[in-house]
Amino acid sequence: MTAATHSTLFPRVPDSADAVLEGLDPEQRAVATALHGPVCVLAGAGTGKTRAITHRIAYGVRAGILQPSSVLAVTFTNRAAGEMRGRLRQLGAVGVQARTFHSAALRQLQYFWPKAVGGSLPRLVDRKIQLVADAAAACRIRLDRGELRDVTAEIEWSKVTQTVPADYTAATAKADRDTPRDPAEIAQLYTAYEELKRERSVIDFEDVLLLTVAVLQDRPDIAEQVRAQYQHFVVDEYQDVSPLQQRLLELWLGDRENLCVVGDASQTIYSFTGATPDHLLDFRVRHPGATVVKLVRDYRSTPQVVRLANGLLAQAKGRAADHRLELVSQRPAGPEPVFTEFTDEPAEAEGAARRIRELIGSGVPASEIAVLFRTNSQSETYEQALADAGVPYQLRGAERFFDRPEVRNAITALRAAARFGGNDALLDDAPDLPSQVRAVLSGKGWTPQPPAGSGAVRESWESLAALVHLAQDFAAARAGATLADLVVELDERAGAQHAPTVQGVTLASLHAAKGLEWDVVFLVGVAEGMMPITYAKTDEQIEEERRLLYVGVTRAREHLHLSWALARSPGGRANRRPSRFLTGLRPGSQAVAGRAGASGAGGVERGSWTAAATAVPEQAPRRRQRTPARCRVCGRTLTDGGEMKLMRCEDCPSDMDEGLYERLCDWRGEQAQRSGQPAFCVFTDKTLIAIAEAVPDDEHELARIPGVGMRKLRRYGADVLALCAGRDPAEGQDQD
């Protein structure tokens, strides 16, 4: 390993704010120095988006513009959050919060729950699938393991799109969503699931976001306390934000606009979870004064890989395709992508394993090779082929590195050796740090040669081998480093979930590979029925499959192999054909006319409040001019969120209809019980007071009341207007 590699593994902390900016290209530097107002970074694959936003935070902190404790950076996975914390630590920006949406929300909910609700927060269930199974049993519905996973995914989608059980059937029809069972049956299971949670006093991960949103909406004092803590927000992978996460972000922000978002609509691959790129694509509509920076210089992949990636998107359709970025490789030329056809799937797996063994024999590290597939069910064939070829591998998506028992035990042993090393006979013949680590870990199962075969023993050895390699890199980068220094480094990495590289070929699904990269990538099973997957029917679903393949292609730095099999098993009918996405891109296929209009050029667009209207497409909804909210009794300008809901000062006299307010509260309780939600998720107390004061006659008047959005108007409007008119809501339903 070269010295240059060591310096990137363990870089020295920049000695000044200006030093943080060194090495950034013009667009990355523009991101790093845009510290005020809304900023939108459109970042293509491999363009250094994480580098740009971490340097932005670090530059702001080191220049004294940002207080570390006032910055909240959010992303979608613990791995990404850990990587961000690790980079910020290396840049000297200690104290910045980098968390997932769920982690940040859970922390706030745990802190404010006693004040907002009282008592302790209900227990959080790690896995909801058992609760779904119990709900199915209660409904006398039989679900196999696959159906349990599918129904659980439907419940998760419903919650992140803020769809309650009663609305599930209509919501799936509107979204043109394929459901694993009859929608009415899933709605029944969803209802039973929510009832079980309430009976057992537990919440799930989606509840963490829902409840945090509800608390911040219902308690302006708590919302202001959160906003006083966090002044600046950075959101990574913004194309993957769900409606619920967007609502939480808006509540964190309040009326401020110190927000930086980073994303790429062409990498939207999680719409099945409720993610949508609309928030990214509409950013300039919501924030007309935003600075927009486009990153298109690809530092990851060779021109040959980039050409294939651009070619994939050139054939794309839809709104995300209209905003695609055309990448420009910054690397020297490399080999052309290899396209290979096999007779059957086992032959395809054996061919990949054979080529991988050759690459490793030529000096390519196993950790720099990946095999990516569309579904996890494809993994087994490749596990067997690699094991038969004697090639080490690791499955992506397993337990987090520092949570593995063998890693925890190893670090405990290293800490003990660092403390009592002088009296440890194991270290008598170990003159340097790497040999000391090898000596200590030899007692925990590490050996110079890996064990034969696969399974738990091999996985444990791979984990210990990763620590040995890390010690070698650390010693080379830090002359004179001791075992105690290494233990400190490991503790810091564990806190940041900044795992070392495990020495083995990576096997992963395309979804799990998002955010990762390797020197060599094998994209396997690129055939019709698998890519796009059989159940992708609509244009939107087909385009998401194309984006998924684009994500896979852009994981490769230098070598890219794409393959498919004509039959599933040896001797089977050879009726498969290569993916339609490769038409015009693989040798021998007819070229397809591409689309014009890629947003290819990188650069910066400075927002202007006065000229903002010209930047907004005519068909897009324009942002309404904000006018001060005034008390309808005394005319004073309102600033408190609760007062703005009532449209009057807290101290001004109320003309509330007490009887109507009581009927609204009773009705709200029934709705909450029916939907399995807290009462304030239906309407908050302040909104009910505002309704009882205004006593609206029609939907137009009801919609003007703060807290009554279009979704709630559609769902509850008829009932509320019936109550305001002195009728029982059930009467209107009977008449209908």
Side-chain angles (χ1 to χ4, degrees):
M1 194 167 283
T2 65
T5 306
H6 289 137
S7 66
T8 58
L9 281 172
F10 301 98
R12 297 193 180 281
V13 175
D15 57 11
S16 67
D18 288 340
V20 172
L21 301 178
E22 292 177 1
L24 300 182
D25 67 31
E27 291 78 32
Q28 292 171 342
R29 182 179 284 255
V31 174
T33 54
L35 295 173
H36 300 289
V39 178
C40 179
V41 184
L42 301 177
T47 57
K49 68 177 180 65
T50 306
R51 176 179 174 82
I53 58 175
T54 52
H55 280 68
R56 178 183 187 269
I57 296 169
Y59 175 71
V61 169
R62 300 294 297 276
I65 299 170
L66 304 179
Q67 292 298 317
S69 60
S70 73
V71 180
L72 178 60
V74 287
T75 187
F76 287 83
T77 65
N78 287 315
R79 181 196 58 76
E83 180 186 356
M84 194 177 290
R85 286 193 295 269
R87 291 199 190 196
L88 290 169
R89 177 169 61 90
Q90 292 167 351
L91 291 169
V94 179
V96 173
Q97 292 292 317
R99 297 180 173 274
T100 64
F101 270 100
H102 283 87
S103 172
L106 180 59
R107 198 176 188 203
Q108 293 173 16
L109 198 60
Q110 289 170 330
Y111 183 81
F112 289 113
W113 187 267
K115 179 179 179 180
V117 181
S120 57
L121 183 69
R123 181 175 62 85
L124 178 65
V125 291
D126 291 332
R127 297 177 69 251
K128 58 174 68 68
I129 199 163
Q130 184 56 54
L131 269 173
V132 175
D134 293 345
C139 296
R140 298 184 178 180
I141 297 174
R142 295 179 62 86
L143 299 176
D144 61 29
R145 184 178 300 178
E147 289 174 320
L148 269 176
R149 286 197 302 269
D150 291 342
V151 170
T152 300
E154 285 301 294
I155 291 174
E156 290 172 350
W157 173 84
S158 300
K159 300 185 80 164
V160 300
T161 56
Q162 302 178 79
T163 302
V164 295
D167 294 344
Y168 173 79
T169 301
T172 54
K174 183 178 179 181
D176 197 20
R177 186 175 178 85
D178 290 329
T179 57
R181 294 179 74 97
D182 180 76
E185 200 170 51
I186 294 178
Q188 181 186 1
L189 289 166
Y190 184 9
T191 301
Y193 170 81
E194 292 295 326
E195 289 173 352
L196 274 178
K197 282 200 297 128
R198 191 167 56 253
E199 290 172 7
R200 299 177 185 182
S201 297
V202 297
I203 59 175
D204 60 28
F205 277 101
E206 288 70 42
D207 290 330
V208 170
L209 299 185
L210 283 164
L211 292 171
T212 305
V213 164
V215 167
L216 295 177
Q217 284 181 161
D218 198 45
R219 292 291 299 269
D221 56 326
I222 292 177
E224 287 307 315
Q225 195 171 339
V226 172
R227 292 167 193 159
Q229 168 70 47
Y230 296 115
Q231 305 291 323
H232 301 269
F233 296 85
V234 177
V235 184
D236 193 13
E237 304 288 4
Y238 194 55
Q239 77 278 352
D240 291 331
V241 165
S242 70
L244 180 57
Q245 289 165 330
Q246 175 65 21
R247 181 61 186 140
L248 177 58
L249 179 62
E250 290 168 355
L251 288 166
W252 282 339
L253 273 169
D255 291 332
R256 301 164 303 172
E257 295 207 307
N258 286 327
L259 170 66
C260 174
V261 301
V262 190
D264 178 11
S266 296
Q267 296 188 68
T268 305
I269 59 173
Y270 297 108
S271 66
F272 62 90
T273 67
T276 170
D278 289 346
H279 305 300
L280 175 68
L281 299 178
D282 291 337
F283 193 81
R284 284 290 291 271
V285 177
R286 296 194 313 278
H287 304 277
T291 297
V292 178
V293 184
K294 295 178 182 177
L295 304 182
V296 297
R297 302 175 199 244
D298 188 325
Y299 298 95
R300 176 188 299 159
S301 305
T302 62
Q304 288 74 14
V305 173
V306 167
R307 189 181 307 122
L308 178 60
N310 287 336
L312 274 173
L313 291 188
Q315 302 173 22
K317 304 173 184 177
R319 193 178 180 211
D322 291 337
H323 294 79
R324 73 189 188 278
L325 299 167
E326 188 158 348
L327 302 176
V328 181
S329 176
Q330 307 297 300
R331 291 195 57 182
E336 290 291 338
V338 177
F339 298 82
T340 310
E341 185 173 274
F342 291 90
T343 55
D344 52 63
E345 287 183 3
E348 184 180 6
E350 290 165 10
R354 188 165 54 249
R355 179 61 184 137
I356 288 170
R357 187 171 58 186
E358 293 171 357
L359 287 165
I360 294 173
S362 69
V364 178
S367 59
E368 287 297 346
I369 304 174
V371 178
L372 307 181
F373 31 77
R374 176 61 180 85
T375 67
N376 288 318
S377 62
Q378 295 168 270
S379 170
E380 186 177 357
T381 304
Y382 289 88
E383 290 180 60
Q384 186 63 54
L386 290 173
D388 291 345
V391 174
Y393 67 88
Q394 59 166 332
L395 282 171
R396 187 76 201 172
E399 189 177 22
R400 291 193 296 182
F401 183 83
F402 287 104
D403 292 340
R404 298 174 188 173
E406 66 271 18
V407 173
R408 292 202 303 269
N409 291 337
I411 293 175
T412 299
L414 291 170
R415 182 176 289 108
R419 189 176 301 150
F420 306 111
N423 300 317
D424 194 334
L426 272 175
L427 305 183
D428 287 347
D429 298 322
D432 55 21
L433 177 60
S435 59
Q436 291 170 1
V437 170
R438 289 193 293 268
V440 172
L441 297 189
S442 63
K444 296 296 178 181
W446 179 83
T447 56
Q449 296 299 321
S454 58
V457 173
R458 179 57 181 261
E459 290 177 6
S460 176
W461 183 91
E462 296 285 3
S463 297
L464 298 179
L467 293 175
V468 170
H469 286 290
L470 180 69
Q472 293 168 349
D473 296 338
F474 188 71
R478 306 273 177 91
T482 65
L483 199 54
D485 295 331
L486 177 64
V487 170
V488 171
E489 173 70 19
L490 289 171
D491 287 341
E492 290 178 347
R493 281 173 167 258
Q497 285 299 328
H498 184 195
T501 302
V502 175
Q503 298 301 311
V505 172
T506 299
L507 295 177
S509 71
L510 287 165
H511 284 101
K514 178 76 168 62
L516 303 174
E517 58 186 78
W518 297 268
D519 284 344
V520 185
V521 168
F522 288 79
L523 289 173
V524 299
V526 190
E528 285 292 304
M530 193 60 75
M531 180 59 67
I533 199 77
T534 306
Y535 53 75
K537 303 292 187 185
T538 67
D539 289 344
E540 291 81 3
Q541 291 168 340
I542 296 294
E543 287 307 314
E544 181 146 340
E545 292 289 299
R546 186 193 305 277
R547 294 194 296 270
L548 192 56
L549 182 57
Y550 171 80
V551 166
V553 167
T554 55
R555 300 310 95 194
R557 296 193 191 103
E558 188 170 0
H559 297 273
L560 179 61
H561 299 257
L562 300 97
S563 62
W564 58 92
L566 297 177
R568 180 170 184 176
S569 55
R573 186 178 177 185
N575 59 354
R576 293 182 176 179
R577 56 191 177 91
S579 168
R580 71 190 75 173
F581 300 144
L582 300 183
T583 302
L585 302 176
R586 61 184 176 85
S589 62
Q590 187 173 357
V592 177
R595 290 162 55 91
S599 304
V604 185
E605 298 173 19
R606 301 290 180 186
S608 167
W609 291 106
T610 56
T614 62
V616 182
E618 289 185 8
Q619 69 273 20
R622 295 181 183 273
R623 193 176 182 182
R624 290 184 297 177
Q625 183 76 23
R626 286 182 181 172
T627 56
R630 299 187 182 278
C631 174
R632 56 190 168 81
V633 180
C634 70
R636 183 178 68 83
T637 299
L638 303 176
T639 56
D640 177 77
E643 291 182 343
M644 290 170 72
K645 270 195 173 184
L646 297 175
M647 291 305 292
R648 64 171 175 80
C649 303
E650 198 77 55
D651 298 332
C652 283
S654 168
D655 52 357
M656 180 176 72
D657 183 330
E658 298 283 354
L660 174 58
Y661 178 69
E662 289 181 6
R663 292 196 300 275
L664 286 167
C665 287
D666 292 342
W667 166 84
R668 180 181 65 172
E670 293 171 2
Q671 295 295 323
Q673 186 173 11
R674 192 175 303 159
S675 63
Q677 291 183 317
F680 54 73
C681 289
V682 179
F683 283 121
T684 65
D685 289 344
K686 287 286 197 303
T687 301
L688 292 188
I689 292 171
I691 293 171
E693 288 183 346
V695 194
D697 290 326
D698 54 37
E699 287 191 351
H700 179 70
E701 291 182 7
L702 179 58
R704 292 170 58 187
I705 296 174
V708 182
M710 289 306 298
R711 185 176 65 84
K712 291 189 177 183
L713 182 66
R714 285 194 297 269
R715 183 167 183 210
Y716 302 126
D719 281 9
V720 171
L721 289 172
L723 288 166
C724 290
R727 301 193 309 271
D728 185 336
E731 294 175 13
Q733 294 171 6
D734 292 340
Q735 291 170 4
D736 292 340

